[in-house]
Amino acid sequence: MDAISHALIGLTVAGLSGQQLSLGDPVYIATLLGSQAPDFDIIAQMRGSFSYIKQHRSSSHSLLGLGIWSLLIASGIQLFTPQVHFSISFLWAFAGGLSHIVADYLNTHGTALFWPYKKERKSCKLLNVFDPILLILMLGILLLKLPPLTHSLVTLLTCGVYIIARLYLRYRAKNWLKHQFSEQQISNIALMPSLKRILFWDFVIETAESFIVGKIGALYPMIEVKMSLPKNQHSSYATVEAQKTIIGDFFTNFSPLIYFEETYDDHFLSVNIYDLRYFINQQFRHSATIIFNKDYIPVDSYMLSYGRKIKIPC
């Protein structure tokens, strides 16, 4: 989620203390820093784009990472304001960081909450990384200038109602899809917030024979199928080997909805991997390609993400 929304949620959490808003108050300092800390993993960008994509929403967004961030924040506050009890700073920093992780869990990218025991990112798929409606709601309540505790309770209640409303809309859209594709042998339906339109869902339907990718209205059953990908009945040797590469292993943990496609030319075999969750402008936002020689040894691999081509070691 965006930094402004995380900061507003952090202010809401700190307001539960009942203390007046003050950026010099250790409670607000600890909570606000905690609400931003998991995204400090942006420093991984110094090691390259793939390093950042691989790291983001991983260890820094786990309970273990949250504990480490909270220790660092509390130690820093203790250094400058030794009169503040270390445990108080730690608990508020932890609460702020937990609000960050919960908010990120609600959007499609998800978090690796139990890293390193479980590296896959789990998500609720209810919100986009930037949700303008949620931001407007929080800013509107902030402008009311309510007492801190009242402000926090009203904000949490409003956000809770908004989340429940989105849950209901997604449940209804899922039922529409079940009815529309009732003749198919559906094994799974995944719905995510549309990347381009607020009142739409993107969907991926898995049937016995294919993956169906499309979008559906959140308020009315307008369904648009963008593509249908035939399901691979058997995993080939190349596909199995592709999953053992660095980029193949990453995609397995990065997305719960991946699709493998093989292409051939005179000398090489390529395995393409697509993250089915993000289809925009007639292409998948995240994809990867592993190229094998005739002996099924990977000789090249790269990732396409946000229009960038990122070379990955095999």
Side-chain angles (χ1 to χ4, degrees):
M1 189 160 283
D2 64 285
I4 295 176
S5 295
H6 279 308
L8 290 173
I9 296 171
L11 286 175
T12 299
V13 172
L16 293 173
S17 67
Q19 297 177 201
Q20 288 296 326
L21 171 61
S22 172
L23 297 182
D25 189 321
V27 169
Y28 281 90
I29 293 173
T31 310
L32 283 174
L33 285 175
S35 71
Q36 301 296 321
D39 281 345
F40 292 165
D41 61 4
I42 194 173
I43 60 174
Q45 185 72 50
M46 298 174 62
R47 298 172 56 190
S49 298
F50 178 66
S51 179
Y52 173 66
I53 293 172
K54 185 177 180 181
Q55 171 61 36
H56 190 49
R57 302 290 189 96
S58 183
S59 59
S60 68
H61 286 63
S62 67
L63 290 175
L64 176 61
L66 178 54
I68 294 172
W69 286 124
S70 301
L71 284 171
L72 292 173
I73 292 169
S75 298
I77 293 175
Q78 186 75 16
L79 183 64
F80 292 100
T81 54
Q83 70 274 17
V84 178
H85 202 285
F86 181 89
S87 62
I88 297 297
S89 298
F90 176 87
L91 288 174
W92 283 108
F94 192 90
L98 187 61
S99 75
H100 183 117
I101 292 176
V102 170
D104 280 356
Y105 169 76
L106 289 172
N107 65 59
T108 311
H109 286 280
T111 63
L113 186 62
F114 299 108
W115 183 94
Y117 305 106
K118 293 184 178 180
K119 295 183 179 180
E120 65 270 22
R121 293 162 172 81
K122 297 292 186 180
S123 72
C124 193
K125 305 185 194 67
L126 273 181
L127 307 175
N128 268 321
V129 173
F130 172 68
D131 190 301
I133 296 178
L134 184 63
L135 181 61
I136 290 170
L137 287 173
M138 290 192 293
L139 286 173
I141 296 170
L142 186 63
L143 293 175
L144 296 176
K145 296 183 179 180
L146 300 170
L149 182 57
T150 304
H151 166 265
S152 294
L153 293 175
V154 170
T155 301
L156 291 174
L157 178 62
T158 303
C159 291
V161 170
Y162 177 61
I163 294 301
I164 291 172
R166 289 194 65 87
L167 278 169
Y168 169 73
L169 290 174
R170 189 176 66 177
Y171 170 80
R172 187 172 63 168
K174 192 171 185 177
N175 283 336
W176 286 339
L177 289 172
K178 287 180 179 178
H179 176 73
Q180 179 69 25
F181 296 93
S182 58
E183 296 181 359
Q184 307 270 7
Q185 295 181 352
I186 297 175
S187 58
N188 183 44
I189 298 178
L191 288 112
M192 295 74 61
S194 172
L195 292 173
K196 299 185 69 174
R197 304 177 69 176
I198 296 176
L199 297 178
F200 276 78
W201 300 97
D202 290 333
F203 67 80
V204 179
I205 299 176
E206 181 181 358
T207 72
E209 299 179 348
S210 64
F211 290 96
I212 303 170
V213 179
K215 68 178 180 180
I216 181 173
L219 301 180
Y220 50 91
M222 193 216 83
I223 299 174
E224 177 184 335
V225 174
K226 297 179 180 179
M227 66 170 54
S228 180
L229 300 168
K231 182 179 287 188
N232 302 319
Q233 297 299 319
H234 302 284
S235 296
S236 72
Y237 179 77
T239 297
V240 172
E241 290 300 304
Q243 295 178 63
K244 298 177 182 178
T245 63
I246 294 174
I247 188 63
D249 178 68
F250 166 73
F251 260 78
T252 301
N253 294 307
F254 179 67
S255 172
L257 295 166
I258 54 176
Y259 181 78
F260 294 89
E261 175 188 65
E262 296 182 7
T263 58
Y264 301 84
D265 61 23
D266 293 337
H267 302 287
F268 297 98
L269 178 152
S270 297
V271 176
N272 301 311
I273 310 175
Y274 302 105
D275 178 1
L276 299 182
R277 295 175 300 174
Y278 309 101
F279 187 80
I280 186 170
N281 297 330
Q282 302 306 309
Q283 62 182 355
F284 290 105
R285 174 165 284 184
H286 303 298
S287 64
T289 297
I290 302 100
I291 301 173
F292 294 86
N293 63 18
K294 62 181 181 180
D295 297 318
Y296 292 99
I297 298 174
V299 295
D300 193 15
S301 64
Y302 57 87
M303 177 178 180
L304 296 176
S305 180
Y306 296 99
R308 298 171 298 170
K309 183 177 181 179
I310 306 169
K311 295 281 290 183
I312 313 294
C314 295

